């Protein structure tokens, strides 16, 4: 069945923005005693869970055949096509008052993302794309950076909750990027990182040990904005826990990431 991607995307934008508005207003009265730990350094609060329930409630009936893959696991429903939801990406930022966080939702099949919406809650900017339709921020088309030279580029590196056995290779990569680019940045929100690659605000973003809900929407944003996304072996896979996403600097950046981070 052919899904009406553009109109589903427009409906999803309203849902995601409403949720982001709820999250923004809760921040004003947020009490740090409400912070809970999922595991060491992996925080959560009632805001994440309530926000997810708001999205799920509205999406449940929009596409009855769709399943759900969500960060807070507030629903269990299988389906070949799935809503992939991170109600609050950049949770640690939110809970510690660092102003970079987003609500991010995608609709995806097992092989590809069909729709992606990321709402930058602090900046009140909505980034969205549907497959074959292009990528936009509040009606303005997005285009990745044309620069193809690593030495002339800026890079966002993500810091996952757990670097695992790749910790020392990652810091070697960061050292290399520090000496061979114009600069390194970090935001703490994978969804924002990918939106910014799509919008041509930064050349590249690299991270690993992350989840599909952190990156699914952004994956499509970057591709629809003319960019490139893969894991460290060069495979395009939305469900991968590793990601390198770039504008035209991808060939050089991919080569470096794969040299330091690819597990043979
Ligand atoms: C976070 C990501 C961030 C990453 C963290 C975490 P959360 O998502 O957006 O880029 O470094 O490990 O996955 O937990 O805030 O939804």
């Amino acid at each position: 069945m052919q899904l009406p991607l553009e109109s589903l995307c427009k409906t999803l934008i309203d849902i995601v923005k409403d949720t982001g508005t709820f999250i923004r207003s809760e921040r004003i009265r947020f009490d740090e005693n409400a912070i809970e730990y999922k595991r060491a350094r992996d925080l959560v609060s009632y805001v994440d869970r309530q926000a997810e329930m708001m999205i799920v409630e509205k999406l449940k009936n929009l596409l009855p055949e769709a399943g759900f893959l969500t960060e807070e696991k507030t629903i269990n429903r299988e389906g070949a096509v799935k809503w992939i939801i991170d109600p609050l990406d950049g949770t640690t930022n939110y809970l510690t008052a660092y102003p970079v966080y987003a609500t991010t939702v995608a609709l995806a099949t097992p092989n590809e993302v069909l729709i992606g919406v990321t709402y930058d809650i602090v900046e009140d900017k909505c980034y969205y794309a549907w497959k074959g339709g292009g990528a936009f921020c509040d009606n303005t088309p997005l285009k990745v950076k044309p620069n193809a030279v690593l030495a002339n580029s800026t890079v966002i590196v993500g810091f996952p909750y757990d670097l695992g056995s790749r910790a020392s290779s990652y810091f070697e990569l960061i050292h290399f990027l520090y000496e061979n680019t114009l600069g390194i940045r970090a935001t703490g929100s994978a969804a924002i990182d990918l939106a910014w690659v799509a919008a041509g605000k930064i050349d590249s973003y690299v991270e690993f040990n992350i989840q599909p809900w952190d990156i699914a929407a952004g994956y499509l944003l970057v591709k629809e904005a003319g960019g490139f996304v893969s894991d460290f072996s060069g495979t395009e896979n939305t469900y991968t826990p590793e990601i390198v996403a770039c504008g035209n600097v991808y060939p050089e950046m991919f080569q470096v990431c794969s040299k330091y981070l690819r597990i043979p």
Side-chain angles (χ1 to χ4, degrees):
M1 185 184 62
Q2 193 77 2
L3 293 170
L5 297 184
E6 182 172 356
S7 75
L8 281 171
C9 183
K10 299 280 157 72
T11 307
L12 184 59
I13 290 169
D14 292 339
I15 295 171
V16 167
K17 286 180 78 170
D18 279 354
T19 309
T21 304
F22 159 74
I23 292 172
R24 189 190 301 116
S25 62
E26 283 306 307
R27 179 59 242 176
I28 296 163
R29 57 174 157 261
F30 190 74
D31 174 353
E32 292 192 359
N33 290 317
I35 298 176
E36 300 161 40
Y37 281 78
K38 288 186 186 168
R39 55 187 165 131
R41 304 193 303 124
D42 189 353
L43 311 179
V44 72
S45 81
Y46 72 91
V47 179
D48 303 59
R49 279 191 293 270
Q50 278 186 23
E52 183 172 301
M53 287 190 281
M54 285 173 67
I55 300 171
V56 166
E57 201 42 48
K58 292 177 184 153
L59 290 180
K60 248 183 351 198
N61 304 324
L62 184 63
L63 214 53
E65 69 271 33
F68 285 87
L69 176 63
T70 74
E71 176 163 25
E72 306 309 334
K73 319 264 182 303
T74 61
I75 183 168
N76 185 0
R77 190 166 96 183
E78 291 301 322
V81 60
K82 279 187 176 51
W83 294 109
I84 304 181
I85 304 174
D86 189 343
L88 176 48
D89 187 65
T91 302
T92 305
N93 289 349
Y94 181 79
L95 296 176
T96 58
Y98 185 75
V100 187
Y101 37 87
T103 298
T104 184
V105 180
L107 181 69
T109 69
N111 305 318
E112 60 183 357
V113 184
L114 304 175
I115 297 173
V117 176
T118 294
Y119 178 52
D120 179 333
I121 297 169
V122 177
E123 293 289 321
D124 185 21
K125 285 187 190 305
C126 193
Y127 298 86
Y128 53 92
W130 63 94
K131 187 173 176 264
F136 303 85
C137 177
D138 298 330
N139 292 324
T140 303
L142 300 179
K143 191 89 202 80
V144 293
K145 276 201 186 285
N147 162 53
V149 178
L150 192 69
N152 296 337
S153 76
T154 49
V155 182
I156 289 179
V157 297
F159 291 100
Y161 296 123
D162 183 7
L163 288 168
S165 58
R166 279 161 157 169
S168 56
S169 329
Y170 201 40
F171 287 112
E172 279 171 36
L173 169 69
I174 291 171
H175 187 181
F176 177 89
L177 292 172
Y178 178 74
E179 289 185 340
N180 291 281
T181 65
L182 295 178
I184 298 177
R185 305 287 181 264
T187 74
S189 163
I192 296 279
D193 298 336
L194 288 162
W196 287 359
V197 172
K201 297 180 183 186
I202 191 101
D203 292 88
S204 307
Y205 157 64
V206 58
E207 189 161 3
F208 59 94
N209 289 353
I210 47 170
Q211 303 292 337
W213 47 76
D214 297 319
I215 58 170
Y219 212 97
L220 184 65
L221 286 172
V222 173
K223 287 190 62 179
E224 287 292 331
F228 305 88
V229 192
S230 74
D231 63 17
F232 305 144
S233 65
T235 307
E236 274 193 28
N237 173 7
T238 326
Y239 296 91
T240 177
E242 11 178 279
I243 185 163
V244 48
C246 311
N248 286 348
V249 79
Y250 174 82
E252 233 191 305
M253 179 67 181
F254 167 73
Q255 205 185 26
V256 171
C257 292
S258 127
K259 175 176 162 211
Y260 284 93
L261 300 176
R262 185 172 179 181
I263 297 168

